[in-house]
Amino acid sequence: MQILSFPEAATPADLRVQVRRIQEQAWPSAHPSDAAVDAPGHDPALRPLSMLLVDEGTVLAALDILSKEIVHAGGRFTAGGLSTVVTDKYARGRGYGRRLVAAAHEQMQLRGLDLGLFTCDHPLQGFYEGAGWHVLPGAVLIGGTPQAPFRSDQPGFDKVTMADFFSPAARQAQASFHHCGIELYPGEIDKLW
């Protein structure tokens, strides 16, 4: 079993097909034929890095790390976030997803990001905490664009914001990320990454 990483656009076609299949298990398309394997899943401006947990050529779990610079409380930070975290339904409950999410946490540090920041459904909080992430108290991510903001606390959402602070500058500013809105603005494709 190994963890493979590729820029999203450079992921080998046979692995992309498998990733798309397990993503369809979790988030079925209205028209599965529209889920083209070659279509990018993320905005290229967010430098998507695909991470796959593979066993003998079979993708068991996958996720993407997206990253961009954000401005918060007068400081500039390179932030990364987890997106499309998924485990094959036939491989769930064996720790594969947690292993991959923990590897992504480490990868963000190795890539020199200041912080990792994303939302998850409230029932998944413990899963992410078990992989090294922490709840960011009272934080709301503001995604979308400045002209069309997309908030993580909108009605009908049950989201919690998870984070970790990697660089000295981010650790020093950590308290400023509590109990506030964080302007992420990843765009129209990845509204909350």
Side-chain angles (χ1 to χ4, degrees), residues 22 25-27 60 86-97:
I22 63 176
Q25 291 173 0
W27 311 288
L60 302 174
V86 67
T87 300
D88 188 306
K89 67 181 178 182
Y90 301 108
R92 291 182 187 152
R94 300 179 193 161
Y96 299 145

Side-chain angles (χ1 to χ4, degrees), residues 165-187:
F165 297 85
F166 306 130
S167 72
R171 284 192 295 275
Q172 185 174 357
Q174 183 172 347
S176 74
F177 285 87
H178 294 198
H179 304 287
C180 67
I182 301 166
E183 296 176 341
L184 185 61
Y185 299 136

Side-chain angles (χ1 to χ4, degrees), residues 28-39:
S29 300
H31 303 286
S33 61
D34 293 344
V37 172
D38 294 337

Side-chain angles (χ1 to χ4, degrees), residues 16-187:
R16 271 198 318 260
V17 167
Q18 293 182 61
V19 169
R20 191 68 71 170
R21 179 186 57 79
I22 63 176
Q23 288 174 340
E24 280 292 316
Q25 291 173 0
W27 311 288
S29 300
H31 303 286
S33 61
D34 293 344
V37 172
D38 294 337
H42 300 288
D43 185 337
L46 299 175
R47 301 181 304 277
L49 177 71
S50 295
M51 294 184 69
L52 316 174
L53 181 67
V54 179
D55 186 29
E56 297 182 11
T58 301
V59 176
L60 302 174
L63 61 76
D64 295 305
I65 297 173
L66 307 179
S67 57
K68 70 177 299 257
E69 185 175 275
I70 64 170
V71 176
H72 181 76
R76 292 188 173 281
F77 304 93
T78 53
L82 299 183
S83 183
T84 59
V85 178
V86 67
T87 300
D88 188 306
K89 67 181 178 182
Y90 301 108
R92 291 182 187 152
R94 300 179 193 161
Y96 299 145
R98 185 179 313 255
R99 179 175 169 186
L100 189 59
V101 167
H105 183 271
E106 184 177 330
Q107 182 65 230
M108 285 186 194
Q109 290 176 301
L110 292 173
R111 291 180 82 189
L113 298 179
D114 291 310
L115 70 149
L117 182 68
F118 61 96
T119 62
C120 68
D121 293 336
H122 193 268
L124 294 173
Q125 175 182 331
F127 167 80
Y128 286 103
E129 287 174 326
W133 296 97
H134 310 281
V135 171
L136 197 52
V140 173
L141 292 188
I142 306 171
T145 65
Q147 299 76 26
F150 188 85
R151 296 177 60 92
S152 66
D153 65 347
Q154 62 186 290
F157 272 28
D158 184 20
K159 301 286 185 188
V160 61
T161 301
M162 306 298 293
D164 204 358
F165 297 85
F166 306 130
S167 72
R171 284 192 295 275
Q172 185 174 357
Q174 183 172 347
S176 74
F177 285 87
H178 294 198
H179 304 287
C180 67
I182 301 166
E183 296 176 341
L184 185 61
Y185 299 136

